[in-house]
Amino acid sequence: MATTSSMFMYSLTIQPPTAVTQAILGQFAGTKEQQIVTASGSRLTLHRPDPVQGKISTVLSHDVFGIVRTLAAFRLAGSNKDYIIIGSDSGRITIVEYLPAQNKFSRLHLETFGKSGIRRVIPGQYLAVDPKGRACLIASVEKNKLVYVLNRNAQAELTISSPLEAHKPQTIVFALVGLDVGYENPIFAVLEVDYTESDQDPTGQAFEEIEKSLVYYELDLGLNHVVRKWSDFVDRTATLLFQVPGGSDGPSGVLVCGEDNITYRHSNQDAFRVAIPRRRGVTEDPQRRRSIVAGVMHKMRGAFFFLLQTEDGDLFKVTLEMVEDSSGQPTGEVKRLKIKYFDTVPLATSLCILKSGFLFVASESGNQHFYQFEKLGDDDDEVEFDSDAFSADPSVPYTPIFFHPRAAENVNLVESVNSMNPIMDCKVANLTEEDAPQIFSICGTGARSSFRTLKHGLEISEIVESELPSVPSAVWTTKLTRGDEYDAYIVLSFSNGTLVLSIGETVEEVTDTGFLSSAPTLAVQQLGDDGLIQVHPKGIRHIRADRRVNEWPAPQHRSIVAATTNERQVAVALSSGEVVYFEMDSDGSLAEYDEKMEMSGTVTCLSLGDVPEGRVRSQFLAVGCDDSTVRILSLDPDSTLENKSVQALTSAPSALSIMAMADSASGGSTLYLHIGLYSGVYLRTVLDEVTGELSDTRTRFLGPKPVKLFRVAVKGQTAVLALSSRPWLGYCDVQTKGFMLTPLAYVGLEWGWNFSSEQCTEGMVGIQGQQLRIFAVENLTNNLLQESIPLSYTPRHFVKHPDHPLFYVIESENNALAPATRAKLLSDTTATNGDAADLPPEEFGLSRGKGHWASCIHVINPVNQKGIIHRVDLDENEAAVSMATVSFSSQDDETFLVVGTGKDMIVNPRSSSGGFIRVYRFQEDGKEIEFIHKTKVEEPPLALLGFQGRLLAGVGTLLRIYDLGMKQLLRKSQAEVAPNFIVGLQTQGSRIIVSDVQESVTYVVYKFQENRLIPFVDDVVARWTTCTTMVDYETVAGGDKFGNLWLLRCPQKVSEEADEEGSGAHLIHERQYLQGAPNRLTLNCHFFPHDIPTSIQKTQLVAGGRDVLLWSGLQGTLGMLVPFVSREDVDFFQTLEQHLRAEDPPLAGRDHLIYRSYYVPVKGVIDGDLCERYALLPIDKKQMIAGELDRSVREIERKISDMRTRVAY
């Protein structure tokens, strides 16, 4: 098998995974404030909660190119900074620290202890840290445990010892936690099962009698070895341990959480056990036992409590009551364990309580939630249950305890952080007729699922929108003196005059400003310490602080057509093509430079840069003329208005702006000239600060209107606002410092300017028609905007209406009560008081019922109504599994909606009492659907597709063709083509691509004359297919359940033979090869993106962009594969990738090439996410790699950024 491929793809992430597997809390920056570090897939993300605004923002996201299995924060005694320990699939333990100055994770230690990959006996699955930061224990699922002693050396640097073993063969570990023992020898508590006897007993008797034990492992710091100190049997259903504070804070020990019970255990204390309260209500099963799935312990001064969460999402507050001595002081002995209902929040993978009074919930699916504590549930009337009512022996029966769920009282949701996991399906379409298409996806589970629309853009918050007396042409803001913090005036220019508004509590018109109000304005500037400048067509007006006005009139028969200003210089262009330059004198007056500069054509725009810090003037003046050129003129006293350089353009420039911005190539800041053209193209070129040369031009098409450019301040950096048919913002990426150009999700503006007032320090003011608008950009880290429409159950698939902007979503939920059953239970009159409360399912989950299915079809309009416009519920325990829109040629090509359902399905082991294919007719332009008939089939049809005016259905292993009859569907043809069962269908012409659940794809040809379906080529590898799409007639791209993406191609000769005219007899009689089709597909590309692809399609993402393969992943990832056009680019990126693997090795110690080849060696795909890390390297490494590649750093960065911006965001 050749490892080089004839086809190469470039893999990029558009949206990183959002499914958080673990969240930890700590003071990672070494300051007083706490940060949250989350692991999602292979990414570590640092979030900074802002307690003042109640917001949470992302500071840093780092791809470790390895699977992060577990995280722990620890702090050495006496220090104020937390380090992070990562347990990953690299067979190494990694200790990382966050460096706030460089905003990056730096690796301190990488210790190898085993093989790479996720294996049963290689540590890395469990990780626990001694609360005083003296040691950590890293364990595998079975047998191996290693203890590392953490310390600091004479230079106060962190040191790590060689590992101490605490192995025990034939033992399965369920949970482990570090015990809080103050400064005594560190102890780790482990929940484990010894399976030696049940392994040797074929009768299964020993397995029935097996016991689970809680074991204490003590690290003796004096002798430097680990011993099993204490062990005792606990409840067999126990799965989780929580550490109880010790030392001076509490009694030490652990809480052991099992099914329906929580027990306090410690080696020198009695056991105390309490049941987990169950929900009361008519729709609840009183016998259903709950388990604890997540929890958090929080210490306050002199007290502590636990918040533990069940699988319903209910939080319970658990506290320990101590025995008091004669003087009323608590002793170290526990008296009882107490539990009470606290609140209900979404089901979490991790909970974090911040010292500032917030709760962070890393949800299992859907958005992450950030709550504020209103109170701690101490003084409410919830019933408190304690351990006095329960025996500590797990075998003793007890009466279950109940509570009434209610709306949240103790916590209040302050922010919901968008998260799209799990994405079930995704489609790209342009429904709003904008220049770029939108991405539509269905995501989430249960009642928290949603239909989301994604658009490329930055989020805007509008502050003011007010109507003006007539239509203005331009707007400016200005301060009164240089020292002012905020703007004082808004100046509006109209075709016949100028209006000045003052900014204060209210905005009102002022007339005594010294501005000329009878003429339109071309520029406004605060000059020197306390002067103001107004440029109008007939001259320049200089207003001094004492309201004296100096006027410079324009020469006779000429008017000013363009102007540019900064706080010390003014340049204007006259209608005759001359440029006049002024500079401020020491006494604050404007002095004209005695020569005028003649330009070759009419001047269309001018720009002066800002005066650099510590200088008296900006060095350069940029002049744009209608002969499609930009010239750079020097403003040096020795060479004033001399031509330094010239740049030819494709069209006349409509706007220029010189400004200094951060530069990732040099690490500092660089002068850039931004150019906007009348053709709607935007260019950015580097302006050399010494010679005035222009280099490294990058272009981007913004829209059909001429581009106007304005300098604005956003989030502490200078940015450029570019206005064409819609507004765009050019800014530096917070992490990489690379230049980004992103549209704003806002109306099209005609003019914009920076705006700063007390209420809005970093805003912008713009005009649109007759409206004056003031707005601000919310954040620069997220450039995908989401609009969400809530759904009822877990969505499975969706399709778009062929003509109208409507989507049809099928949803089904297992073990949930259908609405009819639920309504019947709720209307039951025998229910006791409070039990019939109807709780909203999006907060409390759906009513559970074992063996029941709830399912429905929704019609959604994401453009106009932005919501659900029609709903059809399925009854009698039917659940929708597949859908398609099919136009039947027997019905004059009318399009129908076809939905496949399963009846009484059991997911595992797979069984059902049959399936149906339901046919619906579209009514009222598709806004409603009308049921026509349903056809019974043997199994749930998991794949449906329109094919040559008929319906193609995959029913189990059979592929069938149906036509539409009056009473039911009519079977026309069938063939057995898949070994297990069909899960997907694609088609072009008479070729059908059938995907099997675990045997990859088979190509089938349909011979119309013979009415036969003939499989002619299949695959050599058993791929557990999840999604496929046809890239061209021969090639199919797909993903599988192990998280791989691949491209398979049918050999040219085989493809031509299959399409030969005639009966296809030569295909039927061809000799089978290894019980499969006669021919085999070849593998073109293979890549491991570390997320299970749920959908893949060939599409364009930007106007005029190339076709890319967009795929969505289960954990919320959106990624794409971009085809390379030239071999030269492939060689360049391959070499760059090799250098980056060596120079920037993955953080957790996983080898990048082996990681991307997890199941199959990577082939024909270059990892763009690794290439994009080039921008984050230190300057010396960048230059070294650039030298090896024989390019400049700028060239490399430009090539990397072009790969992304040409096709996507």
Side-chain angles (χ1 to χ4, degrees):
M1 197 167 99
T3 51
T4 57
S5 180
S6 57
M7 179 176 189
F8 272 89
M9 308 290 258
Y10 185 76
S11 158
L12 275 176
T13 302
I14 296 173
Q15 176 177 287
T18 51
V20 174
T21 48
Q22 196 182 353
I24 57 170
L25 190 63
Q27 297 170 345
F28 302 109
T31 56
K32 278 280 196 313
E33 75 170 10
Q34 291 176 301
Q35 290 96 6
I36 297 168
V37 170
T38 58
S40 37
S42 62
R43 269 177 198 267
L44 280 188
T45 313
L46 184 82
H47 306 271
R48 182 180 160 266
D50 184 343
V52 184
Q53 293 182 317
K55 281 197 171 352
I56 185 161
S57 56
T58 305
V59 182
L60 171 65
S61 176
H62 187 114
D63 198 332
V64 299
F65 299 111
I67 298 171
V68 181
R69 295 160 78 185
T70 173
L71 293 174
F74 80 96
R75 174 188 310 203
L76 291 172
S79 97
N80 60 352
K81 180 168 191 173
D82 286 325
Y83 297 101
I84 305 164
I85 306 181
I86 306 172
S88 69
D89 62 340
S90 62
R92 298 161 161 190
I93 186 168
T94 318
I95 300 186
V96 171
E97 95 176 292
Y98 171 63
L99 303 173
Q102 289 118 301
N103 188 24
K104 68 170 193 178
F105 290 123
S106 153
R107 189 167 71 204
L108 301 174
H109 287 287
L110 186 64
E111 299 293 324
T112 308
F113 52 69
K115 293 178 176 170
S116 62
I118 294 180
R119 302 160 192 258
R120 264 167 65 173
V121 292
I122 303 296
Q125 188 63 32
Y126 300 107
L127 179 62
V129 174
D130 170 59
K132 292 284 183 271
R134 296 167 299 172
C136 74
L137 172 67
I138 186 163
S140 58
V141 176
E142 196 178 318
K143 185 182 170 188
N144 294 333
K145 300 181 196 69
L146 298 172
V147 175
Y148 286 92
V149 180
L150 304 163
N151 214 325
R152 51 159 79 88
N153 60 14
Q155 285 79 46
E157 291 163 339
L158 175 71
T159 61
I160 185 166
S161 71
S162 40
L164 306 169
E165 297 185 354
H167 301 339
K168 187 162 188 282
Q170 298 195 313
T171 304
I172 293 176
V173 174
F174 284 83
L176 70 95
V177 69
L179 225 60
D180 190 345
V181 289
Y183 283 103
E184 289 171 26
N185 280 338
I187 295 179
F188 296 96
V190 183
L191 207 51
E192 53 186 44
V193 165
D194 185 337
Y195 66 82
T196 319
E197 287 169 12
S198 55
D199 220 17
Q200 289 154 3
D201 173 20
T203 61
Q205 178 72 24
F207 173 73
E208 294 302 323
E209 293 165 3
I210 205 164
E211 296 267 20
K212 194 173 278 187
S213 38
L214 174 67
V215 186
Y216 279 8
Y217 288 90
E218 180 179 28
L219 164 67
D220 192 320
L221 290 168
L223 299 170
N224 205 27
H225 72 124
V226 184
V227 290
R228 270 175 81 103
K229 187 181 182 187
W230 174 78
S231 148
D232 196 2
F233 294 127
V234 292
D235 180 12
R236 187 173 169 174
T237 60
T239 50
L240 271 183
L241 293 177
F242 290 100
Q243 165 203 97
V244 176
S248 57
D249 300 322
S252 186
V254 290
L255 289 186
V256 182
C257 301
E259 192 179 272
D260 211 37
N261 70 80
I262 299 165
T263 315
Y264 167 75
R265 297 302 300 261
H266 193 33
S267 54
N268 58 4
Q269 301 257 16
D270 293 337
F272 294 94
R273 179 156 167 266
V274 66
I276 300 171
R278 304 177 187 180
R279 280 189 185 180
R280 182 160 246 148
V282 284
T283 58
E284 294 291 338
D285 173 8
Q287 297 309 313
R288 185 161 68 88
R289 293 160 163 249
R290 314 295 203 269
S291 304
I292 297 295
V293 293
V296 60
M297 182 269 293
H298 186 61
K299 272 196 281 200
M300 302 172 294
R301 279 200 184 87
F304 62 88
F305 65 89
F306 294 85
L307 283 186
L308 304 182
Q309 189 183 38
T310 63
E311 72 264 41
D312 293 336
D314 299 326
L315 287 178
F316 293 97
K317 182 177 177 181
V318 176
T319 48
L320 292 171
E321 192 181 321
M322 299 299 179
V323 175
E324 294 181 349
D325 60 13
S326 52
S327 61
Q329 290 299 314
T331 59
E333 199 182 331
V334 178
K335 188 173 171 186
R336 59 173 67 94
L337 183 64
K338 297 177 169 182
I339 186 167
K340 68 193 277 193
Y341 174 58
F342 188 74
D343 265 338
T344 302
V345 298
L347 195 58
T349 52
S350 294
L351 298 166
C352 300
I353 296 180
L354 282 73
K355 287 188 178 131
S356 49
F358 288 90
L359 170 70
F360 177 68
V361 177
S363 313
E364 210 169 79
S365 83
N367 292 358
Q368 323 293 342
H369 282 191
F370 194 52
Y371 293 91
Q372 184 164 13
F373 282 102
E374 299 290 324
K375 58 188 201 306
L376 291 175
D378 295 328
D379 46 3
D380 56 12
D381 48 8
E382 280 297 328
V383 186
E384 189 162 46
F385 305 98
D386 60 35
S387 53
D388 296 351
F390 302 94
S391 156
D393 177 7
S395 58
V396 175
Y398 57 88
T399 323
I401 51 178
F402 293 93
F403 73 97
H404 279 126
R406 51 159 169 76
E409 284 178 6
N410 299 305
V411 292
N412 168 30
L413 182 64
V414 286
E415 192 177 21
S416 175
V417 183
N418 273 339
S419 163
M420 289 182 57
N421 75 298
I423 296 185
M424 307 301 279
D425 201 354
C426 172
K427 304 223 184 307
V428 176
N430 191 352
L431 301 188
T432 52
E433 301 303 319
E434 289 175 19
D435 47 4
Q438 304 88 48
I439 300 173
F440 298 94
S441 69
I442 45 174
C443 41
T445 56
R448 297 188 70 232
S449 49
S450 58
F451 177 98
R452 301 205 183 193
T453 308
L454 271 82
K455 256 164 86 177
H456 181 219
L458 291 172
E459 198 178 341
I460 291 295
S461 62
E462 187 170 77
I463 297 152
V464 177
E465 177 192 354
S466 68
E467 200 160 329
L468 297 165
S470 61
V471 180
S473 58
V475 61
W476 295 269
T477 59
T478 179
K479 304 172 179 179
L480 287 180
T481 68
R482 183 185 291 176
D484 284 2
E485 197 178 340
Y486 302 120
D487 295 328
Y489 293 151
I490 296 177
V491 182
L492 290 155
S493 170
F494 297 89
S495 53
N496 57 356
T498 296
L499 178 70
V500 183
L501 307 173
S502 77
I503 303 169
E505 288 299 311
T506 58
V507 172
E508 56 219 7
E509 190 182 339
V510 280
T511 50
D512 58 345
T513 54
F515 279 94
L516 184 67
S517 59
S518 58
T521 301
L522 294 171
V524 172
Q525 173 74 42
Q526 189 273 316
L527 191 81
D529 290 329
D530 51 11
L532 291 174
I533 285 280
Q534 178 193 14
V535 183
H536 53 91
K538 290 292 168 216
I540 302 175
R541 200 173 169 92
H542 183 189
I543 306 156
R544 310 296 284 265
D546 50 13
R547 297 290 151 93
R548 282 184 305 151
V549 173
N550 297 346
E551 185 85 47
W552 177 85
Q556 262 185 330
H557 310 308
R558 283 175 254 175
S559 62
I560 298 175
V561 291
T564 176
T565 61
N566 64 27
E567 63 246 36
R568 300 187 59 89
Q569 296 157 287
V570 178
V572 296
L574 302 177
S575 49
S576 56
E578 294 166 309
V579 174
V580 191
Y581 169 63
F582 303 83
E583 203 169 295
M584 199 176 77
D585 274 352
S586 49
D587 64 348
S589 62
L590 271 185
E592 181 185 348
Y593 178 66
D594 27 7
E595 289 176 31
K596 296 184 177 62
M597 173 80 179
E598 275 278 357
M599 302 309 284
S600 54
T602 307
V603 178
T604 56
C605 48
L606 298 165
S607 175
L608 280 163
D610 263 17
V611 180
E613 198 83 10
R615 300 276 185 92
V616 292
R617 65 176 68 78
S618 164
Q619 296 283 64
F620 302 112
L621 169 66
V623 183
C625 301
D626 63 359
D627 57 359
S628 300
T629 59
V630 169
R631 289 179 167 73
I632 302 296
L633 307 182
S634 164
L635 298 180
D636 232 26
D638 313 334
S639 57
T640 309
L641 298 185
E642 267 185 28
N643 209 341
K644 282 282 186 187
S645 65
V646 65
Q647 164 102 29
L649 305 166
T650 53
S651 134
S654 56
L656 295 172
S657 178
I658 298 177
M659 61 172 87
M661 290 176 87
D663 174 31
S664 56
S666 66
S669 83
T670 303
L671 267 188
Y672 290 104
L673 171 63
H674 303 269
I675 308 169
L677 306 185
Y678 275 102
S679 58
V681 173
Y682 158 86
L683 300 93
R684 182 185 77 129
T685 86
V686 176
L687 175 60
D688 191 297
E689 298 181 30
V690 183
T691 62
E693 291 292 324
L694 296 172
S695 61
D696 185 34
T697 306
R698 299 189 192 185
T699 62
R700 182 88 179 258
F701 175 65
L702 301 189
K705 287 187 178 176
V707 179
K708 299 194 183 84
L709 301 171
F710 306 98
R711 171 207 162 92
V712 292
V714 177
K715 298 282 171 218
Q717 56 163 299
T718 43
V720 58
L721 177 68
L723 305 179
S724 174
S725 53
R726 60 196 233 195
W728 295 69
L729 189 73
Y731 57 98
C732 293
D733 183 78
V734 187
Q735 258 179 280
T736 61
K737 297 287 177 278
F739 185 71
M740 308 270 284
L741 195 62
T742 310
L744 300 180
Y746 205 45
V747 293
L749 300 172
E750 275 97 56
W751 193 276
W753 204 259
N754 209 37
F755 177 83
S756 175
S757 74
E758 278 181 67
Q759 290 81 25
C760 165
T761 49
E762 285 185 324
M764 299 172 214
V765 58
I767 47 181
Q768 175 234 350
Q770 229 172 320
Q771 306 287 333
L772 177 73
R773 294 171 180 267
I774 298 175
F775 58 96
V777 175
E778 282 299 296
N779 74 356
L780 297 176
T781 47
N782 181 18
N783 64 356
L784 277 176
L785 285 162
Q786 294 186 13
E787 280 180 1
S788 179
I789 297 167
L791 302 173
S792 307
Y793 312 118
T794 305
R796 304 292 170 177
H797 291 287
F798 73 130
V799 293
K800 183 187 168 297
H801 190 284
D803 311 316
H804 302 290
L806 297 169
F807 283 101
Y808 303 87
V809 183
I810 49 168
E811 300 158 42
S812 57
E813 193 70 39
N814 195 7
N815 295 336
L817 297 180
T821 322
R822 195 161 173 259
K824 190 171 146 215
L825 286 169
L826 285 171
S827 62
D828 192 1
T829 50
T830 57
T832 52
N833 180 29
D835 286 1
D838 193 10
L839 300 165
E842 56 275 8
E843 285 171 40
F844 294 90
L846 296 158
S847 307
R848 307 221 179 171
K850 198 161 176 54
H852 289 266
W853 283 87
S855 184
C856 69
I857 307 167
H858 274 141
V859 185
I860 289 178
N861 184 331
V863 182
N864 308 331
Q865 286 90 345
K866 294 196 192 314
I868 294 164
I869 53 176
H870 185 60
R871 169 176 176 153
V872 176
D873 275 302
L874 302 182
D875 48 0
E876 295 168 1
N877 221 17
E878 264 187 75
V881 290
S882 59
M883 73 190 312
T885 53
V886 183
S887 66
F888 287 100
S889 40
S890 59
Q891 303 286 325
D892 304 331
D893 288 340
E894 186 188 340
T895 307
F896 292 83
L897 181 70
V898 183
V899 177
T901 64
K903 189 163 168 57
D904 306 325
M905 288 194 294
I906 297 168
V907 182
N908 192 15
R910 183 182 290 276
S911 72
S912 67
S913 64
F916 292 99
I917 302 177
R918 291 169 162 259
V919 181
Y920 292 90
R921 178 177 261 129
F922 292 123
Q923 301 286 3
E924 298 181 32
D925 292 342
K927 292 190 185 65
E928 287 183 9
I929 52 175
E930 175 199 13
F931 176 64
I932 297 178
H933 55 60
K934 64 182 184 181
T935 308
K936 190 162 174 39
V937 288
E938 302 89 324
E939 287 182 55
L942 293 175
L944 300 171
L945 185 69
F947 174 70
Q948 298 184 351
R950 298 198 270 188
L951 170 70
L952 200 58
V955 183
T957 59
L958 299 171
L959 181 64
R960 284 194 184 145
I961 297 180
Y962 283 102
D963 209 339
L964 190 61
M966 295 298 287
K967 294 280 177 68
Q968 64 167 30
L969 291 165
L970 310 171
R971 193 187 307 175
K972 295 293 181 190
S973 174
Q974 82 170 26
E976 194 169 324
V977 293
N980 301 294
F981 54 89
I982 296 170
V983 290
L985 296 168
Q986 302 288 335
T987 181
Q988 272 188 30
S990 58
R991 177 170 298 178
I992 304 160
I993 309 246
V994 178
S995 22
D996 181 79
V997 67
Q998 70 181 58
E999 292 290 340
S1000 191
V1001 296
T1002 307
Y1003 284 31
V1004 177
V1005 64
Y1006 175 60
K1007 295 293 182 187
F1008 187 74
Q1009 304 91 334
E1010 300 279 309
N1011 191 21
R1012 293 194 75 157
L1013 292 158
I1014 309 166
F1016 64 93
V1017 58
D1018 61 13
D1019 198 2
V1020 285
V1021 178
R1023 304 179 203 279
W1024 292 66
T1025 325
T1026 54
C1027 58
T1028 52
T1029 186
M1030 289 185 79
V1031 182
D1032 56 42
Y1033 192 59
E1034 258 85 47
T1035 319
V1036 63
D1040 64 40
K1041 284 186 187 171
F1042 292 90
N1044 299 301
L1045 287 169
W1046 29 264
L1047 257 93
L1048 301 169
R1049 182 165 282 171
C1050 174
Q1052 186 75 31
K1053 183 165 168 283
V1054 176
S1055 176
E1056 284 164 4
E1057 274 177 18
D1059 286 344
E1060 279 173 14
E1061 287 292 314
S1063 65
H1066 60 292
L1067 295 174
I1068 300 166
H1069 300 308
E1070 204 168 344
R1071 192 162 136 244
Q1072 285 195 345
Y1073 180 63
L1074 300 176
Q1075 283 93 45
N1079 302 295
R1080 291 292 174 266
L1081 297 163
T1082 54
L1083 178 69
N1084 268 32
C1085 299
H1086 201 286
F1087 188 68
F1088 174 74
H1090 186 193
D1091 199 351
I1092 299 171
T1094 53
S1095 76
I1096 185 166
Q1097 62 197 308
K1098 186 170 134 185
T1099 181
Q1100 289 178 4
L1101 288 177
V1102 291
R1106 284 213 308 274
D1107 274 350
V1108 297
L1109 284 175
L1110 177 83
W1111 63 274
S1112 68
L1114 190 71
Q1115 303 178 356
T1117 318
L1118 285 177
M1120 60 177 176
L1121 295 171
V1122 187
F1124 278 105
V1125 178
S1126 72
R1127 185 77 213 188
E1128 179 196 354
D1129 278 354
V1130 174
D1131 294 341
F1132 169 80
F1133 279 103
Q1134 269 185 323
T1135 325
L1136 177 64
E1137 194 181 28
Q1138 280 164 2
H1139 282 298
L1140 282 164
R1141 279 180 188 145
E1143 294 304 322
D1144 184 35
L1147 190 70
R1150 187 83 165 111
D1151 181 284
H1152 176 267
L1153 182 61
I1154 298 175
Y1155 166 68
R1156 288 301 188 200
S1157 314
Y1158 229 105
Y1159 296 98
V1160 173
V1162 63
K1163 177 179 178 183
V1165 181
I1166 287 164
D1167 187 358
D1169 293 340
L1170 179 68
C1171 295
E1172 289 191 343
R1173 286 197 57 79
Y1174 179 79
L1176 298 166
L1177 292 180
I1179 291 298
D1180 51 337
K1181 281 193 176 171
K1182 280 189 188 177
Q1183 283 164 343
M1184 190 208 84
I1185 294 174
E1188 294 277 334
L1189 289 167
D1190 203 16
R1191 311 264 177 142
S1192 71
V1193 174
R1194 271 225 168 80
E1195 260 182 285
I1196 295 176
E1197 292 201 340
R1198 176 180 172 182
K1199 269 185 107 70
I1200 294 169
S1201 90
D1202 276 0
M1203 278 307 287
R1204 184 183 278 273
T1205 53
R1206 278 200 194 131
V1207 292
Y1209 336 117

